[in-house]
Amino acid sequence: MKQEICVVWLKRDLRTKDHASFYQAKKSKLPILVLYCFEPTVSHGADWDERHWRFIYQSIQDLNTKIPVTWSHSEVVNTFDEIQKHFTIKIMHSHQESGTEATYQRDKEVAKWCKRNNTTWKQHQTNGVIRNLRVKKDWERLWASMMKRDLLTTNFSELSFIDTKNLNLTHDLSESITTNNDSFMHGGEDLALKKLHSFFNGFDFAKEIYTPAQGHYTTSEFSPYVSWGNLSLRQIYHEAVKIVPKTEDKKNILQFINRLKWHCTFTQQFEEDTDLEFCRDGRKLDKDLFRAWKAGLTGYPMVDACMRCVKETGHLSYRSRSLVVSFLSHHLNQPWEEGAKYLARHFIDYDPGIHYPQFNLQAKAIHNPIKQSADKDKEALFIRKWVPELKDAPLKAIHRPWELNLPDYPFPVVKLWKDLSNN
């Protein structure tokens, strides 16, 4: 008779602390198999890139220093079939995922598999997002209630993990995924915890979050660790709340806490309206303009610097993200959905629950790239770093380089709208 086991299926929850699946799995008193699947159908999506898999792979390697994690480069249901040949999966735990249509369909297949195999699948709430919320006005209260609860603690020395060496699983990830790339932030719970414990150390969060050059270094940079679950938002919330009575800079800390709620607000919106992934605005794509935007060759220095930066690092400050989306939608007059796919592939912190609602919102805003450039990069440090064609341009003209008639930098691909906001 096959041994009964409990599976903890990891998705966007690659950590050991404040982890509901581990906490509940312990109660089953069954041997545990911790599983992650690098799913081919997910990697084939237009929103996916190997930089995401690399961050995940690094996170799993970090987890493996604490607990044994079994992983495969295979579809989830196929992996379950292989496990089921050797064991009986009695119970499975995972976190709820506010994902794309691809992961939604995957979860439906998993539900069918569990029903066929008499496996109890328990899904746990993620970061204050409430599935099947009945009364919307209750959300804010429920979110606050969840954030204030004690962090879940699991004593892993009391758990029994099964030996999976006889499982016939595929592990053929490319070398570019399994090799570190220092151009991008590295994944892992240990790195996330170091950042968490060193973060609240007195910078002007409210001011610098909107500045591309300083924002890259002075914003929290928690976003990839939250997106892939190296940290829970509740962990960050608890650390922030501890600081409030100890600091004179209460305004910035409280604003930061509010942004944690803001983060979940967008994910809650996507949980309730997944059609945001498929919004179409009816405009026809101009391939030349879209290519110039992607390559950072629009002739507008701040836009170009941002697009080159995100391609090379996977990171942009919030205001910079809003600028490039606004520029694509309004000044280039391009359909935003193609831009959403492109930036999803490039953001190291890509999370559908944040990405699509945010993109939809930012595409409606109108920002003046010249004013943004002059206001947010006054010394042109960010521009000079990412647009080396302008590194020797005088400061007084660098935000309007077409006035210099430079041979190595493109003339603006479009004229700006006449009726610009003050943004």
Side-chain angles (χ1 to χ4, degrees):
M1 186 175 178
K2 292 184 292 185
Q3 182 181 19
E4 291 186 344
I5 64 170
C6 172
V7 167
V8 173
W9 173 26
L10 298 176
K11 294 193 275 186
R12 287 177 174 266
D13 52 343
L14 303 173
R15 64 180 183 275
T16 59
K17 299 183 183 300
D18 197 36
H19 199 289
S21 292
F22 287 127
Y23 185 82
Q24 295 298 331
K26 180 183 175 183
K27 297 180 180 180
S28 72
K29 302 189 183 302
L30 292 170
I32 294 172
L33 187 158
V34 184
L35 176 69
Y36 186 88
C37 294
F38 292 85
E39 303 162 78
T41 53
V42 172
S43 62
H44 294 159
D47 58 345
W48 207 256
D49 187 78
E50 67 177 18
R51 66 186 64 190
H52 303 140
W53 283 142
R54 188 187 303 115
F55 193 96
I56 292 167
Y57 182 81
Q58 292 164 348
S59 299
I60 291 172
Q61 295 306 300
D62 178 77
L63 282 176
N64 263 321
T65 65
K66 306 161 190 173
I67 57 174
V69 179
T70 299
W71 62 272
S72 73
H73 185 195
S74 179
E75 304 301 343
V76 176
V77 168
N78 295 342
T79 304
F80 289 161
D81 284 337
E82 174 59 27
I83 296 171
Q84 196 77 345
K85 292 177 184 177
H86 303 267
F87 305 97
T88 297
I89 304 176
K90 186 71 174 176
I91 301 172
M92 181 170 68
H93 291 275
S94 73
H95 276 83
Q96 294 172 350
E97 182 178 5
S98 300
T100 61
E101 178 67 16
T103 58
Y104 173 64
Q105 293 299 331
R106 179 272 318 276
D107 282 358
K108 288 173 67 175
E109 292 302 312
V110 169
K112 291 176 184 177
W113 187 94
C114 289
K115 187 174 182 179
R116 289 196 305 270
N117 290 275
N118 295 317
T119 297
T120 300
W121 181 18
K122 298 183 179 181
Q123 299 185 69
H124 305 288
Q125 186 179 0
T126 300
N127 287 337
V129 177
I130 301 171
R131 184 159 289 179
N132 300 320
L133 178 64
R134 294 182 179 180
V135 183
K136 291 186 178 182
K137 67 179 182 179
D138 289 343
W139 180 81
E140 199 165 323
R141 174 181 58 80
L142 295 171
W143 181 87
S145 175
M146 183 178 185
M147 290 298 115
K148 292 174 183 177
R149 293 177 201 163
D150 291 341
L151 301 180
L152 298 175
T153 302
T154 304
N155 187 343
F156 287 93
S157 66
E158 298 176 354
L159 301 183
S160 172
F161 296 97
I162 65 170
D163 186 348
T164 60
K165 64 183 178 182
N166 293 325
L167 296 181
N168 183 27
L169 300 178
T170 303
H171 298 100
D172 58 346
L173 295 178
S174 69
E175 187 176 348
S176 59
I177 292 173
T178 59
T179 303
N180 288 343
N181 184 332
D182 290 337
S183 295
F184 300 93
M185 292 176 67
H186 289 199
E189 183 179 33
D190 284 351
L191 288 173
L193 290 172
K194 285 180 182 178
K195 190 168 289 291
L196 176 66
H197 295 145
S198 64
F199 171 63
F200 300 101
N201 193 22
F203 73 85
D204 195 347
F205 175 83
K207 177 181 178 182
E208 304 293 6
I209 191 171
Y210 297 112
T211 308
Q214 287 78 7
H216 189 80
Y217 303 103
T218 58
T219 55
S220 72
E221 294 189 343
F222 287 147
S223 58
Y225 299 115
V226 172
S227 293
W228 304 110
N230 294 161
L231 289 172
S232 71
L233 274 188
R234 186 161 56 191
Q235 287 175 278
I236 302 172
Y237 178 90
H238 278 226
E239 287 296 317
V241 168
K242 288 179 189 176
I243 299 297
V244 174
K246 302 177 184 178
T247 182
E248 296 178 358
D249 195 13
K250 288 182 172 56
K251 178 182 176 181
N252 284 338
I253 295 299
L254 292 172
Q255 182 173 342
F256 178 82
I257 292 172
N258 190 58
R259 289 186 74 86
L260 298 180
K261 182 174 69 175
W262 186 67
H263 176 285
C264 291
T265 300
F266 283 101
T267 311
Q268 184 69 43
Q269 179 186 358
F270 191 66
E271 175 71 27
E272 297 171 10
D273 185 10
T274 55
D275 286 344
L276 285 171
E277 180 187 353
F278 304 106
C279 285
R280 298 289 182 268
D281 63 18
R283 289 178 289 184
K284 185 177 180 180
L285 183 72
D286 183 313
K287 293 182 179 179
D288 290 335
L289 289 178
F290 190 58
R291 190 180 300 114
W293 179 77
K294 291 192 296 183
L297 294 171
T298 68
Y300 291 95
M302 181 58 76
V303 173
D304 292 343
C306 289
M307 293 306 294
R308 297 183 194 188
C309 175
V310 74
K311 185 176 181 179
E312 294 300 318
T313 71
H315 178 83
L316 278 180
S317 69
Y318 168 75
R319 189 69 174 204
S320 297
R321 297 183 189 211
S322 185
L323 171 64
V324 297
V325 174
S326 169
F327 187 83
L328 174 72
S329 182
H330 291 284
H331 302 300
L332 297 184
N333 195 32
Q334 298 303 296
W336 71 264
E337 58 267 21
E338 291 302 321
K341 294 174 186 175
Y342 178 81
L343 287 178
R345 293 194 296 274
H346 286 81
F347 287 149
I348 193 72
D349 60 2
Y350 167 59
D351 180 342
I354 298 294
H355 184 72
Y356 287 104
Q358 273 284 288
F359 215 99
N360 187 278
L361 178 67
Q362 291 165 350
K364 297 173 183 175
I366 303 175
H367 294 304
N368 183 335
I370 302 173
K371 186 175 188 301
Q372 288 293 307
S373 183
D375 288 353
K376 305 304 181 184
D377 194 20
K378 290 183 178 8
E379 301 302 317
L381 300 176
F382 186 72
I383 289 172
R384 293 186 197 280
K385 176 177 181 178
W386 292 106
V387 187
E389 306 97 298
L390 301 177
K391 70 180 188 304
D392 296 323
L395 182 60
K396 64 181 180 179
I398 198 169
H399 303 294
R400 295 174 177 268
W402 50 89
E403 296 177 354
L404 300 173
N405 208 17
L406 299 172
D408 297 329
Y409 188 65
F411 196 78
V413 293
V414 293
K415 291 184 178 180
L416 298 184
W417 280 23
K418 292 182 180 179
D419 183 20
L420 289 168
S421 71
N422 291 324
N423 295 321

